[in-house]
Amino acid sequence: MNIYEQYRSKLRAPDEAVQAVKSGDWVDYTVTLSCPALLDAALARRKDELIDVKIRGNLIFGPIHVVECDPEREHFIYNSWHCSAYERKLCDKGLCNYIPMVFRNVVPYYRHFLTVNVAMMCVTPMDKHGYFNLSTATGVGRGILEKADVVILEINENLPRVYGGFDEVIHVSDVDYIVEGTHEPLRQFPVAQATEEDMKIAEIIVPYIPSGAALQLGIGAMPNVVGTLLAQSDLKDLGMHTELCGDAYYELFKAGKLTNAKKTIHRHKGMTGIIIGSQELYEWVDQNPGVAAAPLEYINAPETIGHLDNMISINSCISMDLYGQVCAESAELRHISGTGGQLDYLTGAAMSAGGKAFVCMTSSFKDKNGMRKSRILPHFRGDIVTDPRSQAYYLVTEYGAVNLTGRSTWERAELLISIAHPDFREELISAAEKQKIWLKSNKR
């Protein structure tokens, strides 16, 4: 059969395609915009026929019908590699479990250790050569599909076609079933409004960034503020190498700052694995030769990142303790997000000639009762350690940036207290004294 005959022979209605799922199966929804909405709704309609179907997803923004229809989790058990705000609320309700990971290792986990009975994901329409583009999910998509016993593709006519280095497509001959249907416009994710503290943190970081630097900007308002300030700066020839491409890179491109011309690898290409943002961003990456997607096991590999001179990594966190441990994924025992690629880039940027890794947060926050609390803690009490103290690099609040590399415990305490909110410095000093990490000669 030619490619069009193959396509027609594999075309199924959503309710027919999900008959491939059996009780006890492991099913994968892949990541973000590639979550298969039509197939998810069809699988939810089979609820009473199935028990103990385990589903994995990643940064899915909902609604997830198999979760919503089964609050007792008797039929479907949902798990996430990295929680969106929607998935975080599911965790709060006991309807989602987090899968600990380091992002560069996700596909190797599948390849070597995990079972996938059915993988289903959204892709672009087939091209004239018989290929479907994995679009915004290239970072993990192909590796998951290759492990699956059954591959079901859902055609989403709205997805951008993103050029790639490798593993950005799958051929019709490697697919079991294909589903078509009408989709809502792609979800857009406007950048959160920056606070005064976010602006101050960004202003502290920008002077550390040279022209020609390769940038990884994490999720959140503050990294995007850095992108905005860089777009307004005198810097030139910035590059993109990131697990997640958001609107900050598009703003840098529009300002003429993002050329990728000085990158020591992948010159003239902005490299990414996942794409989330505005409709303007999706239109920018669509068939853009200046943007290339590749698997995260390559994009996020520290040895890849380390080959880029002046690699600058900027990420956010929730809290840190006086030892230099960083938590970016929980508030004590409440799950918030996930490890993602933060540790990948912290490791890789440290290997880069001229590289620097910044982990940032506001020095304090107000709880639901309006009480101000410090984000710098004497020590963690159940908070999940994302970055170990052995890899602490630049830590930043609105009160400054400190480099903990090679610093002893008493030096770390002094440096971190110097960037804590002034209201909490004395009590942090008292705690450091009790923990025997404060010297009489330390600066108050």
Side-chain angles (χ1 to χ4, degrees):
M1 292 187 289
N2 65 34
I3 57 171
Y4 300 106
E5 290 170 336
Q6 288 186 64
Y7 186 100
R8 287 190 291 272
S9 72
K10 297 177 179 185
L11 194 59
R12 300 287 189 276
D15 290 287
E16 185 180 3
V18 298
Q19 292 296 318
V21 178
K22 311 301 182 188
S23 291
D25 274 358
W26 279 97
V27 176
D28 214 286
Y29 279 7
T30 69
V31 60
T32 59
L33 302 177
S34 291
C35 178
L38 303 179
L39 289 164
D40 171 54
L43 187 57
R45 289 193 287 271
R46 290 194 62 205
K47 179 186 75 169
D48 294 335
E49 304 171 27
L50 299 167
I51 58 170
D52 194 34
V53 174
K54 284 86 63 176
I55 299 162
R56 299 185 191 98
N58 189 340
L59 271 175
I60 292 176
F61 299 94
I64 304 173
H65 296 288
V66 292
V67 177
E68 303 281 356
C69 78
D70 184 26
E72 302 301 320
R73 303 186 91 185
E74 294 178 359
H75 308 278
F76 304 109
I77 301 170
Y78 182 71
N79 312 271
S80 176
W81 291 106
H82 194 99
C83 288
S84 64
Y86 170 77
E87 289 167 316
R88 181 188 314 150
K89 293 176 182 177
L90 295 181
C91 288
D92 289 341
K93 299 175 182 177
L95 296 177
C96 173
N97 291 91
Y98 175 66
I99 315 168
M101 60 88 148
V102 176
F103 227 150
R104 71 178 182 271
N105 291 331
V106 168
V107 166
Y109 294 157
Y110 281 94
R111 188 176 295 128
H112 300 298
F113 306 113
L114 301 181
T115 296
V116 184
N117 300 110
V118 181
M120 47 182 76
M121 69 177 292
C122 282
V123 295
T124 66
M126 187 178 75
D127 67 17
K128 64 182 180 180
H129 304 290
Y131 287 98
F132 304 90
N133 185 268
L134 304 187
S135 188
T136 61
T138 294
V140 297
R142 184 62 193 253
I144 296 172
L145 297 179
E146 287 179 346
K147 188 59 187 282
D149 300 326
V150 177
V151 173
I152 309 174
L153 299 185
E154 179 175 315
I155 308 304
N156 187 328
E157 65 281 10
N158 300 318
L159 282 172
R161 190 177 301 273
V162 182
Y163 293 141
F166 58 101
D167 283 354
E168 79 279 14
V169 295
I170 185 170
H171 194 264
V172 64
S173 60
D174 294 323
V175 177
D176 295 292
Y177 304 117
I178 300 164
V179 167
E180 296 177 343
T182 303
H183 293 81
E184 297 291 327
L186 295 178
R187 287 285 301 272
Q188 298 185 62
F189 304 95
V191 177
Q193 187 68 36
T195 65
E196 183 178 340
E197 290 88 352
D198 291 329
M199 289 295 299
K200 181 61 179 175
I201 291 168
E203 290 168 359
I204 290 168
I205 293 173
V206 166
Y208 287 92
I209 303 174
S211 289
L215 300 177
Q216 180 259 332
L217 303 174
I219 298 175
M222 194 282 306
N224 279 282
V225 174
V226 172
T228 299
L229 291 183
L230 290 174
Q232 300 166 358
S233 74
D234 295 329
L235 296 178
K236 299 183 295 183
D237 290 325
L238 297 172
M240 179 177 91
H241 188 96
T242 184
E243 67 179 2
L244 189 149
C245 174
D247 279 88
Y249 293 102
Y250 179 48
E251 295 302 318
L252 287 169
F253 171 78
K254 288 194 296 183
K257 306 295 182 181
L258 187 72
T259 68
N260 296 293
K262 301 297 183 181
K263 290 171 66 180
T264 43
I265 58 173
H266 305 300
R267 288 179 60 227
H268 306 296
K269 298 282 185 183
M271 300 297 292
T272 188
I274 299 170
I275 300 163
I276 305 174
S278 67
Q279 183 60 38
E280 290 78 12
L281 176 71
Y282 304 145
E283 292 171 2
W284 177 58
V285 301
D286 183 43
Q287 302 184 73
N288 183 345
V291 177
L296 290 177
E297 60 188 297
Y298 173 78
I299 293 289
N300 279 25
E303 57 268 27
T304 303
I305 299 165
H307 281 306
L308 287 152
D309 291 352
N310 296 310
M311 180 72 213
I312 304 296
S313 167
I314 302 170
N315 288 288
S316 300
C317 70
I318 296 168
S319 58
M320 56 185 73
D321 72 8
L322 291 179
Y323 298 98
Q325 298 184 113
V326 172
C327 169
E329 52 197 282
S330 77
E332 295 187 357
L333 294 179
R334 184 189 177 221
H335 191 78
I336 302 296
S337 57
T339 302
Q342 182 169 133
L343 187 58
D344 294 332
Y345 282 89
L346 178 61
T347 305
M351 298 165 62
S352 160
K356 302 178 184 72
F358 297 90
V359 178
C360 317
M361 66 178 190
T362 57
S363 65
S364 65
F365 69 99
K366 289 185 178 180
D367 66 14
K368 60 183 180 181
N369 298 316
M371 181 177 293
R372 184 173 296 279
K373 293 187 175 181
S374 177
R375 291 191 185 275
I376 296 180
L377 308 173
H379 55 84
F380 285 148
R381 298 180 179 275
D383 308 70
I384 303 300
V385 176
T386 303
D387 307 324
R389 63 180 182 171
S390 55
Q391 289 190 257
Y393 206 170
Y394 283 96
L395 301 181
V396 191
T397 74
E398 71 271 26
Y399 292 101
V402 295
N403 183 354
L404 300 193
T405 304
R407 300 291 189 168
S408 66
T409 53
W410 63 266
E411 289 176 293
R412 287 164 180 247
E414 180 182 284
L415 288 168
L416 287 167
I417 290 171
S418 76
I419 61 170
H421 192 284
D423 290 355
F424 300 101
R425 292 181 186 176
E426 285 302 319
E427 64 183 75
L428 287 169
I429 290 171
S430 296
E433 289 173 334
K434 292 178 183 177
Q435 292 165 213
K436 298 181 173 56
I437 55 173
W438 188 264
L439 302 184
K440 292 181 180 178
S441 59
N442 278 16
K443 295 179 183 178
R444 289 180 173 268

